[in-house]
Every structure is written in C-alpha cells, then in structure tokens.
Amino acid sequence: LRSSVISANTEMKGCFTIGCHPSVALYTLPILLPKLKATYPLLSINFTHDLSRKITEQVVSYEIDFGLVINPFHHPDLVIHRLFYDEVTLWTSPEPTLYQDIHSQRCVLYCDPNLKQTQELLNKLPHHQFSVEHSNNLEVIASLVAEGMGVGLLPERVAKRSHKPLQRVSKSMGHVIDVLCFVHRADAQNNAVSQKLRHKIKTILAE
C-alpha cells in the first residue's frame, strides 16, 4: 500500500488545467505543449481561456491548476513566477492609409476595452482626433491594422504574429510594459508531480 501511494504521488501522470488569454495561448502553447507531451506522455493537459485577471481568480479559487497570465494581481496564497516581458503600443501598417494617419479626423484606433492596458495607454496618448472602435480579439485588431483599416493597440508579440508586417506608429505615442507570469496556489500544487510539471513549464517558456 505504501509503495502504491508513493508511486501515485511521483509517477508523471494525471490531469491538469492551464488557463490563459487566447492571445497568450497562441504564442505560448504551440511551444509548450509539444515539449510537455514529449517529456510526460501520460499527462493530460486541458486549457481554458479568458482575460488574465479572470484566469488568476480561477487559480486562486481552485478552479484551475495553473495560469499563464499578464500582470497578475497579488494574493497571499498565489505564487507568481515572472517569465518574460512584452510591450503594448500603437501599431500601423508599413504604408499607412488615411485611416492610419493620426493627424487625420478619419483615423480609427482599434482596441480591446476589457484590457487594463487599453485605458492606461489611452490616458498616455497625446490628444489626437481619432475615433475609437472596439474588438475583444487582439488577432482581429491586428488583421484590421494589417489591411489599413486603422491603428491598433497591441502587444508586440501579437503584432509580430500578424499575417502582414506591422510597425510601431511612433515611440512618442507611449507604451505599457506587460509581464507574462506563471501562477499557481502554493497549497494546491505541492506534490511531486505538480512540482516537476511546474519546473518543466517554467524551463520551456524561459528558453
């Protein structure tokens, strides 16, 4: 019985759930999952996607095991590991159209109003006469910017994944620094399997 209990707590198998924003998922999971599966083929990994603050809340409330979140709030039971930084700023196409001329009244700015970075950056921007239109999907915003329909408030890692090249509008337009973090509850993820999985996730994403 003792041997069975030790095996159950150390053999790398089981089911875990990782939460992250859809945009974070697109540039992390294709790197993370193949290496996890290759190392621990008996593990079952599920994913859930939402705003980073909601993912963090779900980790704190024991709803999911781990989170890959942007700028997590601090909680006494939450362990936060910083992975890497990103930059949110204004992006445009290499050959700006009239809708991307920030000095034109026809300029359109696309952004996700649900993100805290949006309001923070809008407050930093110099006053320009452009209209603000919303989408809650950053990849859609990047696509619209790529087609010349306006400028977009985007993280650099999202902008770099656009189907057409994008470029920053201007360094003078301001920016917000994001931190991608790996989070979990200290009391919920303290067995040997979880510890090995945590270490592997951090190692892969830090490469």
Side-chain angles (χ1 to χ4, degrees), residues 121-132:
L121 192 49
L122 286 177
N123 290 332
K124 289 184 176 181
L125 291 177
H127 178 69
H128 291 286
Q129 293 182 342
F130 46 58
S131 61
V132 178

Side-chain angles (χ1 to χ4, degrees), residues 151-163:
V151 297
L153 281 180
L154 295 167
E156 181 177 5
R157 292 177 187 272
V158 174
K160 293 297 185 181
R161 287 178 53 86
S162 170
H163 68 286

Side-chain angles (χ1 to χ4, degrees), residues 46-80:
N46 297 316
F47 302 99
T48 184
H49 307 292
D50 209 327
L51 295 172
S52 283
R53 62 177 178 272
K54 292 187 178 180
I55 293 296
T56 308
E57 291 169 358
Q58 291 177 59
V59 172
V60 171
S61 61
Y62 298 96
E63 296 176 54
I64 59 178
D65 302 299
F66 306 109
L68 293 170
V69 297
I70 300 293
N71 306 331
F73 59 80
H74 290 273
H75 186 279
D77 297 322
L78 195 66
V79 179
I80 300 175

Side-chain angles (χ1 to χ4, degrees), residues 153-193:
L153 281 180
L154 295 167
E156 181 177 5
R157 292 177 187 272
V158 174
K160 293 297 185 181
R161 287 178 53 86
S162 170
H163 68 286
K164 292 182 179 180
L166 302 183
Q167 66 181 23
R168 286 179 173 83
V169 171
S170 170
K171 290 185 177 181
S172 65
M173 299 301 290
H175 66 276
V176 174
I177 298 298
D178 278 345
V179 185
L180 179 70
C181 299
F182 177 60
V183 302
H184 62 86
R185 282 191 67 103
D187 57 347
Q189 305 299 335
N190 56 7
N191 60 58
V193 175

